[in-house]
Amino acid sequence: MSKIGIFYGTSGGNTKDIAGRIGAKLNVNGADIRDVASVKKNDLLPYDVLLFGSSTWGLGDLQDDWEGFIREVASADLSGKKVALFGCGDSSSYPDTFCNAVGIIYRAVKDRATVVGFTATDGYMFDDSEAVVDGRFAGLLIDEDNESDQTEARIDRWVEQLEKELTS
């Protein structure tokens, strides 16, 4: 399989936890799972596959560390790379902006890399999200606050899907 780097932004710890769980299932070395607070665009270069994860805060905002890192990503050379996105959000308290951060990151990379890992919106309780692209989520969305009982199965399905998409 291609060399995978996982880059996440976290404030409360959920996105870091999800990044680690995804990394373990994809056999990604711990050194290749990085907090965006301490990386620059050149740190993306060694990887064929980039997994970007962010929580959504406020009324649909990127996690704080992603606010700066999104500019790094937007100016990085992503040609020939595959990108998969994941995010954490609260569908009950913020049903109109559920996991918007995934949609924001998607817009920054969609024309510059091959985005993989789209998932169905079925089974989620939300009203609207910038992460919905052509009727599907632009990645794996997790609601640890209200649907933590579904997290492991959602990660498993997504990782299985990614493994297929990355080898095709």
Side-chain angles (χ1 to χ4, degrees), residues 1 7 12 21 34 48 75 79 81 83 92 99 122 161:
M1 185 180 285
F7 297 85
R21 290 161 73 177
R34 315 264 310 267
D48 306 304
S75 66
S79 57
K81 296 189 185 298
V83 173
S92 178
C99 288
D122 301 340
Q161 174 187 337

Side-chain angles (χ1 to χ4, degrees), residues 30-53:
D32 296 318
I33 304 173
R34 315 264 310 267
D35 188 329
V36 300
S38 60
V39 297
K40 298 292 182 198
K41 69 180 175 185
N42 287 343
D43 294 319
L44 305 175
L45 295 176
Y47 303 101
D48 306 304
V49 177
L50 301 166
L51 274 60
F52 292 143

Side-chain angles (χ1 to χ4, degrees), residues 18 33 35 40 44 49 73 87 116-118 121 133 135 139 150 154 167:
I18 298 302
I33 304 173
D35 188 329
K40 298 292 182 198
L44 305 175
V49 177
V73 169
V116 297
F118 287 77
T121 61
V133 176
Q150 298 182 55
R154 286 175 172 165
T167 57

Side-chain angles (χ1 to χ4, degrees), residues 112-153:
R112 303 175 40 260
T114 302
V115 181
V116 297
F118 287 77
T119 60
T121 61
D122 301 340
Y124 287 84
M125 300 298 294
F126 71 103
D127 295 329
D128 196 19
S129 175
E130 290 182 30
V132 176
V133 176
D134 295 330
R136 299 182 301 159
F137 289 133
L140 171 66
L141 276 54
I142 299 292
D143 184 345
E144 279 291 272
D145 296 324
N146 304 293
E147 300 174 351
S148 61
D149 60 318
Q150 298 182 55
T151 297
E152 199 65 29

